[in-house]
Amino acid sequence: MTTFASGTDTLTRDALTVLQPGFTGTTAPDWLLRRLGEGLASVGLFGRNIASPEQLAALTAQLRAERDDVLVAIDEEGGDVTRLEVRTGSSFPGNHALGAVDDVELTRQVASEMGRRLAACGVNLNWAPSADVNSNPANPVIGVRSFGADTDLVARHTAAYVTGLQSAGVAACTKHFPGHGDTAVDSHHAMPRIDANASTLADRELAPFRAAIAAGTRAVMSAHILVPILDPDHPATLSRPVLSDLLRGELGYTGLIVTDGMEMQAIAATYGIERGSVLAIAAGADAICVGGGLADDETVRRLRDALVGAVRAGELAESRLAEAAERVRELARWTATTAATATAATSAVESEGRTDIGLVAARRALNLTAASPFTPLTEAPFVAAFTPVANIAVGDETPWGVAAELARLLPGTETGSYTGEDAGRAALEAAGNRRVVAVVRDEHRHPWMAAALDTLLTSRPDTIIVEMGVPRAAPRGALHIATYGAARVCGRAAAEVIAGE
């Protein structure tokens, strides 16, 4: 049973309870442990906090020694967005690959195994899955994080993912409500806007969230997007019509509502994180996610004081803050109860082959198009990686591509990374007489990348192309491999084909 520091009043405890801050380092700092003792109920983990599964388990044990019912949250989507394997790349393909296979039982198994690994490390809340329908091909932030562009497909796989993840005792947090797929702006940088009409919104964006709610998702994350048909003045995170009237009222959702990161520029640059946090709680959010870019005690103090001050000034109803804090505690109780049941069930299941489910899924997702019968390589090729700027959710620290896996299968494989209008010529010069494997990511969104492939194919029509983003461009090259994601396991599956494994 958690005991709180003396002198912390109920209002202050509730203000701390609704916060989900991050921190730096691979052990919990003193300030964080102190705040847990004062009422902080959740901690968010990022790649900077994780060195190994063993270290992560020790870190979560350190947190629970201070507060046994703490919610430990992470942004582990698998695929391109990984925190558990940020330094190596994920063992799981992401949503787009699972959607390409379109086997809901496979999706459930992948999510269950991911949940098992998270639970083994002491993580009990995952800010996933993405239920966004990737209807806008120019979307710079969703892409392969989505199961696809078909609403029904996204809905059934979202439900399967929620079911699988929560079977392991890890709460799912379905995002980004009411749907981030039809945007052309990354909310990390600015405020996106969706001008869909009411029927399109209901039939396309909301359907996967209905499926997630029916599947029992324990949390839903709001999006920092403006949807004028719902609220012409406030982004969804700060909108009572979106969170209270639509999500709670019309859709009947009763679980935890978590905001997307409040330090993202869509909120921080327009309202500020303190004002934004007050407005979010008032609108119906229950937990404030902050800490991706702000990870210190000063941030926690500022947000706590902003919430307490808003209640005392009559700008935020104390009952609303208390309701939000109780939903956080309710989820903590669910994770404690479900984790024990899930552990017992997992221990009774035969584990053989389970840990390879990510590779099985990545292999099944591959889409191969060959100009003529393809003969696997026997000599080391040159891998030309045409590298776009990664969005913040993915990060640029996680390795991607096929070079590492090809080097394992074909020793002597070399690689180069290229960008810009001269990328094709530079890659040709570096390759010399070696067979070229060109690796791209969302070619359709980057004209310079398409031009680089044109340059390569004009001189070297035997070039093998591996598309690791959303494959919208027409297949070309001696062999075109669409992996539907850039996770390490996707690179391995593609390398096996190239090398004939």
Side-chain angles (χ1 to χ4, degrees):
M1 180 67 67
T2 301
T3 57
F4 297 109
S6 60
T8 305
D9 60 73
T10 300
L11 177 57
T12 301
R13 283 201 301 272
D14 285 349
L16 285 169
T17 296
V18 303
L19 302 181
Q20 291 188 350
F23 62 97
T24 56
T26 53
T27 59
D30 291 341
W31 68 262
L32 183 63
L33 299 176
R34 184 179 72 256
R35 294 300 187 192
L36 289 172
E38 295 173 352
L40 186 69
S42 307
V43 176
L45 300 181
F46 298 85
R48 64 186 179 227
N49 304 122
I50 300 169
S52 69
E54 296 76 17
Q55 169 270 325
L56 178 55
L59 170 58
T60 59
Q62 183 187 15
L63 296 172
R64 290 199 168 86
E66 188 63 43
R67 177 166 183 161
D68 55 9
D69 62 347
V70 64
L71 287 172
V72 181
I74 200 168
D75 194 7
E76 182 59 45
E77 299 178 16
D80 290 29
V81 180
T82 179
R83 310 307 178 213
L84 283 181
E85 300 177 277
V86 67
R87 292 169 178 80
T88 61
S90 182
S91 301
F92 300 96
N95 286 0
H96 212 58
L98 295 172
V101 178
D102 195 13
D103 179 342
V104 291
E105 176 58 20
L106 178 65
T107 295
R108 188 200 64 78
Q109 291 176 8
V110 167
S112 177
E113 173 59 17
M114 181 180 293
R116 187 190 68 82
R117 295 191 193 182
L118 289 171
C121 295
V123 176
N124 54 10
L125 172 59
N126 190 11
W127 294 318
S130 168
D132 307 297
V133 179
N134 197 52
S135 54
N136 186 344
N139 196 313
V141 68
I142 302 300
V144 294
R145 301 168 66 196
S146 166
F147 289 109
D150 180 82
T151 298
D152 291 341
L153 179 144
V154 174
R156 61 179 174 265
H157 285 277
T158 296
Y161 194 109
V162 167
T163 300
L165 187 65
Q166 295 188 165
S167 72
V170 176
C173 183
T174 305
K175 61 188 183 185
H176 306 79
F177 188 82
H180 210 310
D182 190 22
T183 60
V185 173
D186 185 344
S187 51
H188 290 90
H189 302 298
M191 182 78 75
R193 177 187 174 108
I194 293 180
D195 286 309
N197 58 38
S199 61
T200 298
L201 188 74
D203 294 341
R204 185 180 65 191
E205 265 70 33
L206 298 184
F209 291 96
R210 291 193 188 96
I213 292 168
T217 187
R218 304 303 302 190
V220 169
M221 177 176 283
S222 67
H224 303 328
I225 58 176
L226 188 67
V227 187
I229 196 67
L230 299 176
D231 187 335
D233 301 316
H234 299 97
T237 294
L238 313 184
S239 171
R240 184 172 181 81
V242 174
L243 300 186
S244 295
D245 299 344
L246 177 59
L247 181 54
R248 293 258 185 246
E250 184 177 332
L251 301 188
Y253 176 65
T254 59
L256 189 77
I257 299 177
V258 183
T259 73
D260 206 345
M262 298 299 283
E263 71 277 12
M264 295 164 63
Q265 290 303 296
I267 299 297
T270 53
Y271 295 88
I273 63 168
E274 294 97 333
R275 182 64 179 159
S277 296
V278 170
L279 292 174
I281 296 295
D286 306 304
I288 302 296
C289 176
V290 66
L294 299 169
D296 53 30
D297 190 39
E298 174 63 15
T299 298
V300 172
R301 184 196 62 76
R302 285 163 51 200
L303 295 182
R304 178 204 64 189
D305 291 351
L307 292 167
V308 170
V311 170
R312 291 176 174 164
E315 298 173 353
L316 173 63
E318 186 170 1
S319 60
R320 170 78 272 274
L321 181 60
E323 177 188 49
E326 179 54 28
R327 283 209 180 91
V328 174
R329 291 188 282 266
E330 181 182 358
L331 181 57
R333 290 191 292 269
W334 179 89
T335 59
T337 302
T338 307
T341 304
T343 299
T346 300
S347 64
V349 174
E350 177 59 46
S351 63
E352 184 176 355
R354 181 178 59 199
T355 56
D356 291 331
I357 192 67
L359 180 58
V360 170
R363 287 168 173 163
R364 289 183 61 186
L366 294 182
N367 190 330
L368 311 178
T369 305
S372 59
F374 175 70
T375 302
L377 305 190
T378 57
E379 297 182 355
F382 181 81
V383 178
F386 296 114
T387 308
V389 176
N391 68 61
I392 292 176
V394 173
D396 57 10
E397 70 271 31
T398 303
W400 70 286
V402 301
E405 294 296 334
L406 273 177
R408 180 177 61 83
L409 299 175
L410 297 172
T413 295
E414 295 184 12
T415 187
S417 180
Y418 306 95
T419 188
E421 61 182 17
D422 293 325
R425 288 192 295 273
L428 276 175
E429 293 175 3
N433 294 324
R434 288 166 292 182
R435 186 76 174 268
V436 177
V437 177
V439 186
V440 296
R441 205 170 181 175
D442 292 345
E443 178 196 346
H444 67 281
R445 291 185 49 239
H446 303 285
W448 68 266
M449 197 180 292
L453 291 184
D454 289 341
T455 299
L456 271 178
L457 290 169
T458 298
S459 299
R460 303 289 292 274
D462 64 347
T463 294
I464 298 166
I465 297 174
V466 182
E467 168 59 89
M468 305 194 82
V470 177
R472 294 186 62 89
R476 48 186 174 156
L479 175 67
H480 185 280
I481 305 176
T483 63
Y484 299 90
R488 173 175 56 84
V489 71
C490 298
R492 176 176 173 181
E496 289 174 344
V497 171
I498 294 169
E501 286 289 310

